[in-house]
């Protein structure tokens, strides 16, 4: 009888422990799932502090194994909601919903390893999670994981914490330390909140509040004009053709597409700069040259320069996703950061074309190797095609020569999802980092005019054929970020993690006594 009672007691205790762990994992999943709400279009920026704070608190309170599982569930929620638009592009324009679900789940499962890696690193270096680990160790590891996403498997720098802070006082950090610097400050606030909640006291609350005030004061000291206007304002017209993605590349739709863009453009002849979106002309440049020559002749007679997106093929057999300035002499910019499976198939020669699950062209695009400037009315322009705008250090390669940035994109792939809004927010951050106005011309939206402080001056309605006219003033000069890139942030991460190693070793020595 006693033995049976003991077994029942153990079983009940195990069931309680199991249900408690499930509750912790559910909390982590929920905290990750709400984090994308901090970004566009909702912009609940405070969630960028609260959500990671929940993760950091769990990382400090749970045993290492459970903490790692919690961090992985957090990542599943974070990216499962945040990049759900990947499913739309594959399902509608690739190989259907079944393949789309499999690929999206696999992609999210891979991305979830990045929050996991941050927790793993800190818990390995410093098993006892004290104040330093929460205030600086975890923030440093988190931002290191964001930096790794800039290059791992060609890069996917989406949903960095810093992007959520556009429009807040902390955006002033970006011209100096870039989006990773903003992410670091946000993560520090999350660590401070977790430290306060770990063992709540008025003393801890006062310290965390003081730190917040110090960070706000520090950000206010960086809030200044880093660049200056040059020359006169340019009149611009951003053309949004709104050609359906599943129709765009059909040969029988070419005449319709060219006619629509011509009709939308002609009333704006005399505008200094007219911009069409990425691959606005769904034909090779040499095939459309007669049409483009006639159009630029009419526009050029009124003093207009047209920049447009179009595929280009060379005599050497290479194909490029290009932005072309039609004013003589013609200039070409070739997209530098291609989208895997969208514009080329990795290992195509090894595994064959069956890997083409996203509807990539049968012929792979080649990546441009040099940042080339385009010109309009004598103004040097830095062109960025779609995914290019997500890589701040590469955008900085165009500076300080470029006085204006132009982002040509086609977000029709992602429908009415979070994707286009997140993409626009990323473009806003590039404007802040470089101190340059940025013009964004897209096929279906979000077409927008962004000033050098990252603020939206104008935005076209989504899913409508329209033209967005505006005036922008080119700017000159270099922000500190253009000169330094991500080096200061990476150096600080290295210092923080080095100190964390020392803290961890000291904690081990003390526990062994």
């Amino acid at each position: 009888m006693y033995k049976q009672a003991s077994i029942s007691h153990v079983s009940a205790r195990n069931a309680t422990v199991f249900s408690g762990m499930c509750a912790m994992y559910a909390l982590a999943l929920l905290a990750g799932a709400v984090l994308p709400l901090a970004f566009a279009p909702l912009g609940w920026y405070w969630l960028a502090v609260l959500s990671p704070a929940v993760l950091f608190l769990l990382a400090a309170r749970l045993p290492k194994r459970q903490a790692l599982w919690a961090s992985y569930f957090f990542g599943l929620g974070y990216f499962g909601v945040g990049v759900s638009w990947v499913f739309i592009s594959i399902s509608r324009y690739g190989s259907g919903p079944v393949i789309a679900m499999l690929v999206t789940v696999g992609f999210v499962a891979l991305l979830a390893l990045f929050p996991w890696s941050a927790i793993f690193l800190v818990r390995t270096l410093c098993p006892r999670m004290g104040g330093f680990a929460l205030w600086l160790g975890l923030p440093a590891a988190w931002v290191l994981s964001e930096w790794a996403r800039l290059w791992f498997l060609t890069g996917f720098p989406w949903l960095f914490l810093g992007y959520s802070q556009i429009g807040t006082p902390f955006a002033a950090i970006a011209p100096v330390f870039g989006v990773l610097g903003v992410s670091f400050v946000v993560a520090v606030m999350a660590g401070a909140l977790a430290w306060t909640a770990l063992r709540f006291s008025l003393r801890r609350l006062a310290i965390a509040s003081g730190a917040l005030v110090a960070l706000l004061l520090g950000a206010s000291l960086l809030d200044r004009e880093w660049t200056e206007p040059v020359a006169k304002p340019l009149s611009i017209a951003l053309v949004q053709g709104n050609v359906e993605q599943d129709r765009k590349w059909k040969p029988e739709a070419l005449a319709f597409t060219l006619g629509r863009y011509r009709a939308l453009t002609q009333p704006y002849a005399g505008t200094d700069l007219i911009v069409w979106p990425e691959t606005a002309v769904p034909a090779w440049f040499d095939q459309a040259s007669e049409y483009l020559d006639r159009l630029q002749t009419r526009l050029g007679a009124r003093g207009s320069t047209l920049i447009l997106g179009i595929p280009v093929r060379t005599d050497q057999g290479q194909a490029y996703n290009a932005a072309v300035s039609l004013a003589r002499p013609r200039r070409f910019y070739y997209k530098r950061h291609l989208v895997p499976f969208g514009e080329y198939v990795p290992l195509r020669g090894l595994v064959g074309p069956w890997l083409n699950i996203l509807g990539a062209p049968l012929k792979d695009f080649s990546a441009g190797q040099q940042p080339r400037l385009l010109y309009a009315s004598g103004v040097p322009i830095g062109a960025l095609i779609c995914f290019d705008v997500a890589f701040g250090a590469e955008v900085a390669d165009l500076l300080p020569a470029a006085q204006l940035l132009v982002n040509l994109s086609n977000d029709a792939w992602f429908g009415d999802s979070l994707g286009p809004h997140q993409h626009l927010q990323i473009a806003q951050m590039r404007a802040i980092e470089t101190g340059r106005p940025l013009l964004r011309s897209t096929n279906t939206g979000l077409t927008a005019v962004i000033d050098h402080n990252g603020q939206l001056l104008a935005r076209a309605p989504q899913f409508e054929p329209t033209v967005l006219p505006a005036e922008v003033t080119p700017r000159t000069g270099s922000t500190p970020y253009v000169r330094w890139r991500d080096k200061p942030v990476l150096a600080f991460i290295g210092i923080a993690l080095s100190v964390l190693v020392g803290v961890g070793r000291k904690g081990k020595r003390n526990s062994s006594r």
Side-chain angles (χ1 to χ4, degrees), residues 195-211:
W195 177 77
T196 304
L198 187 62
R199 282 194 296 273
F200 181 80
S201 67
L202 292 179
R203 175 179 171 273
R204 289 197 172 202
L205 180 61
I207 292 173
S209 300

Side-chain angles (χ1 to χ4, degrees), residues 79-93 104 107-108 111 156 158-159 339 358 387 411 413-423 426:
F79 294 107
V81 174
V83 301
S84 55
W85 42 265
V86 171
F87 175 84
I88 296 174
S89 63
I90 304 173
S91 178
R92 292 184 184 176
Y93 310 115
T104 303
F107 187 49
V108 169
L111 291 175
F156 187 72
W158 225 260
L159 297 174
V339 179
L358 281 180
F387 203 38
D411 290 346
W413 291 98
F414 311 120
D416 187 15
S417 69
L418 298 174
H421 299 274
Q422 294 169 357
H423 205 176
I426 289 171

Side-chain angles (χ1 to χ4, degrees), residues 138 274 296:
L138 282 171
I274 301 171
Q296 180 57 38

